[in-house]
Amino acid sequence: MGAGRFEELRSRYRVLRDLRGTLALLEYDQQVSMPPKGAAARASMTKTIETLLHERLADPVLGELLDDLASDGSLDEVQRASVRVLRRDHERAARLPEDLVGALAECRTLAYQAWTQARPADDFSILQPHLERMLELKIQEADALGWEAERYDAMLDLFEPGMTTTEVERVFAELTVGLKALAERILAAAPVRPAFLSAPYDEGEQKRFCDWLVAALGFDTEAGRLDLSPHPFTMFIGVGDVRQTTRIEERGLFNAIYAALHETGHALYEQGIPAELRVLPVGDVPSLGLHESQSRLWENQVGRSRPFCDFMLRHLKQRFEGLAGVAPDAFHAAMNHPERSLIRVYADEVTYNLHVALRFELELAMFRGQLEVRDLPGAFADAMERHVGVRPPNVADGALQDMHWSIGAFGYFPTYTIGTLYAAAFYERARADIPGLEGSLRAGDARPLRAWLAERVYRHGYVRPAAETAEAITGAPLSAQPFLGYLSARYAEIYGL
Ligand code: ZN
């Protein structure tokens, strides 16, 4: 009887998976190629598919099937994990009342629209009422989903299943103390920003270089595409179809390259999950933090390392005359140039996680009722000064700089830092495990590292939780120490600190 019931799960899951893939494709198209006048029709299509997905997922018949299977002792490990993963999704969908789901979707559209107007107008009052409504709805959502120690746990759990506020607070406390001291020393030693970093470079040539680079790292272009969008991202559409984007601007060659390296890390992970798992609920990435560990690893541990910078510079010189006179030492230093800056997405590796720390602090305070939305602009500016050491001159580059809160993505920011910390710990392990890793990267050969990641990360899909996959690699719980050690070593190499 077990085998037949599991077949039923498989066929129900196929519909859920196809609906999700359809949503992803609609979203991808919206960000990459949809004409602006298509927005209203697209919002309607998206809402229709979302409603179908929610109905299918919350279906009580699915709940009964999952209950039966949960007590079926004949299932193997992958089947049991499939039941666990889908049951979690089902229970969450079933707990959310239809009208709350609708209200959240509507508020998201309106608040995001308000944000797109508020930021250029440098006027928080345009967003404020929508953000107040959003916070109210997210609190209702947290209460509907359920939580034990802390309401914000329910938000974290949406993106990093199993992660708790207590754990994130512990990690940020450990990180910020060490990082602030280290950042002081590194920033004091930093030279003037080299001019070639923001010189103009031909945009067509930039795209061709990014295309070449992502393919060189192993992104399968027969099973994916690299396109352009204002905000780079990666999306899994279906088996054999993983989309990634970068952003090209005349004076942004290195932003384009590092965004492409980052997204390629995500894309290799998506392409690396075995096709035989993809037909089951476990054919997925277990958490955003683990996803982000992959993007950060290729962007930073690999992308900013001396061997890989040497490899890139050789190839860049063949395409961009402006880089002809740049020496390998200067290039490597420039790819690691740190500075206190206002905008998170452009922040360097040293200060980036301080930007994240203050966002975590503020959204947690909002969830605890210790910070009102109307006081957010001032609290944001104060926190920037305290953590990053610069004060935003306006609200556009302060509390309005990110879109996350407008779309209700509370609990999302910490996954950037969780990913950063995993990446450093994983790379430390990879260097110990793979003889000659740096030599292969200097030659532009990513195969040894990819094979290691496939074995340690990709092939597991969501058969086990993210923290288990991470601990199996590092042998330790989440910690800031490997990252702090890595940054110290990197800047000891560059500035002789
Ligand atoms: Zn990312």
Side-chain angles (χ1 to χ4, degrees):
M1 132 1 205
R5 291 296 264 167
F6 195 80
E7 270 318 300
E8 211 178 317
L9 178 145
R10 199 189 274 270
S11 69
R12 280 181 171 265
Y13 178 69
R14 183 165 48 236
V15 177
L16 298 171
R17 183 197 63 190
D18 289 350
L19 289 170
R20 282 180 182 149
T22 306
L23 279 173
L25 188 55
L26 288 174
E27 160 108 40
Y28 185 88
D29 176 77
Q30 183 170 356
Q31 296 206 34
V32 172
S33 51
M34 186 190 79
K37 288 180 181 171
R42 181 60 47 92
S44 168
M45 289 157 78
T46 302
K47 196 177 172 198
T48 301
I49 308 284
E50 262 173 8
T51 309
L52 284 174
L53 178 61
H54 185 256
E55 277 169 18
R56 291 276 183 154
L57 204 48
D59 186 350
V61 179
L62 176 62
E64 284 162 27
L65 172 65
L66 289 164
D67 285 345
D68 281 1
L69 286 168
S71 56
D72 184 340
S74 70
L75 302 183
D76 65 23
E77 188 199 0
V78 169
Q79 291 173 326
R80 281 199 310 276
S82 290
V83 172
R84 203 164 55 232
V85 169
L86 190 53
R87 204 173 188 208
R88 184 186 134 91
D89 286 354
H90 163 74
E91 283 174 357
R92 303 170 75 85
R95 279 181 204 149
L96 289 180
E98 203 75 41
D99 55 343
L100 179 59
V101 175
L104 273 165
E106 197 185 351
C107 185
R108 198 177 300 131
T109 308
L110 293 174
Y112 177 73
Q113 242 164 32
W115 174 77
T116 62
Q117 292 160 4
R119 194 175 182 208
D122 189 26
D123 183 353
F124 188 73
S125 73
I126 299 174
L127 177 65
Q128 190 185 316
H130 300 285
L131 199 51
E132 281 165 351
R133 171 89 177 127
M134 180 56 91
L135 183 61
E136 217 177 272
L137 291 171
K138 293 300 286 186
I139 286 173
Q140 287 176 29
E141 185 188 20
D143 292 351
L145 291 172
W147 48 272
E148 280 167 29
E150 168 119 42
R151 185 177 263 144
Y152 185 78
D153 287 349
M155 296 291 101
L156 283 173
D157 200 60
L158 293 171
F159 305 109
E160 198 66 27
M163 184 57 73
T164 63
T165 309
T166 309
E167 173 79 347
V168 175
E169 281 189 299
R170 178 188 66 75
V171 168
F172 268 112
E174 186 192 358
L175 174 67
T176 50
V177 169
L179 191 51
K180 280 182 188 171
L182 190 58
E184 285 294 333
R185 286 179 24 230
I186 293 171
L187 289 160
V192 178
R193 185 184 166 84
F196 74 84
L197 272 181
S198 33
Y201 300 94
D202 180 76
E203 295 186 17
E205 200 58 42
Q206 289 189 39
K207 175 65 166 55
R208 285 189 287 280
F209 181 80
C210 288
D211 280 329
W212 170 81
L213 184 64
V214 305
L217 292 178
F219 177 63
D220 179 357
T221 52
E222 299 279 296
R225 291 177 54 88
L226 170 67
D227 287 305
L228 301 179
S229 71
H231 304 282
F233 65 94
T234 298
M235 218 164 249
F236 173 78
I237 310 289
V239 170
D241 189 356
V242 173
R243 313 289 180 96
Q244 61 161 318
T245 68
T246 188
R247 165 185 176 158
I248 306 264
E249 290 170 306
E250 195 185 25
R251 291 182 178 273
L253 169 63
F254 295 98
N255 291 338
I257 290 174
Y258 280 89
L261 286 170
H262 180 101
E263 298 308 329
T264 297
H266 285 306
L268 290 173
Y269 189 3
E270 293 286 5
Q271 288 188 333
I273 292 178
E276 63 270 23
L277 289 188
R278 287 289 194 187
V279 299
L280 296 170
V282 289
D284 205 347
V285 172
S287 83
L288 283 193
L290 202 62
H291 221 317
E292 196 67 6
S293 76
Q294 300 305 297
S295 55
R296 300 276 161 189
L297 188 139
W298 289 95
E299 176 191 0
N300 295 328
Q301 274 73 25
V302 172
R304 297 183 206 276
S305 70
R306 179 59 190 261
F308 194 77
C309 284
D310 287 355
F311 159 72
M312 274 208 302
L313 182 60
R314 284 201 308 276
H315 289 273
L316 282 164
K317 283 186 174 185
Q318 294 167 12
R319 291 172 191 259
F320 301 98
E321 273 177 21
L323 295 172
V326 177
D329 277 347
F331 184 76
H332 182 223
M335 294 308 107
N336 289 277
H337 183 73
E339 58 199 339
R340 296 187 201 279
S341 59
L342 285 173
I343 307 299
R344 175 187 60 85
V345 293
Y346 296 131
D348 60 84
E349 210 185 346
V350 180
T351 57
Y352 184 88
N353 290 284
L354 298 173
H355 289 262
V356 178
L358 74 95
R359 285 157 175 78
F360 165 63
E361 197 178 288
L362 294 173
E363 61 184 36
L364 183 57
M366 284 191 275
F367 262 79
R368 286 178 172 170
Q370 295 160 345
L371 173 64
E372 301 284 337
V373 169
R374 65 165 180 274
D375 298 326
L376 189 57
F380 193 98
D382 291 346
M384 271 292 281
E385 210 165 351
R386 203 157 17 89
H387 284 288
V388 185
V390 285
R391 192 171 183 90
N394 53 40
V395 72
D397 291 339
L400 285 176
Q401 69 169 270
D402 297 301
M403 51 89 96
H404 297 58
W405 290 330
S406 78
I407 60 162
F410 295 95
Y412 191 111
F413 282 118
T415 66
Y416 293 131
T417 294
I418 293 168
T420 300
L421 303 185
Y422 278 156
F426 293 177
Y427 196 68
E428 192 177 288
R429 193 70 240 167
R431 277 176 60 162
D433 284 356
I434 308 170
L437 174 59
E438 306 216 309
S440 65
L441 292 175
R442 181 169 278 111
D445 180 5
R447 281 172 301 183
L449 182 56
R450 254 186 9 248
W452 187 89
L453 290 169
E455 171 65 24
R456 301 298 194 106
V457 182
Y458 306 166
R459 82 178 168 91
H460 299 291
Y462 197 173
V463 174
R464 50 191 199 187
E468 233 172 81
T469 289
E471 263 197 68
I473 298 172
T474 64
L478 185 61
S479 158
Q481 295 313 315
F483 174 65
L484 293 170
Y486 148 81
L487 270 191
S488 296
R490 169 67 46 86
Y491 285 92
E493 183 187 2
I494 296 172
Y495 297 155
L497 287 174

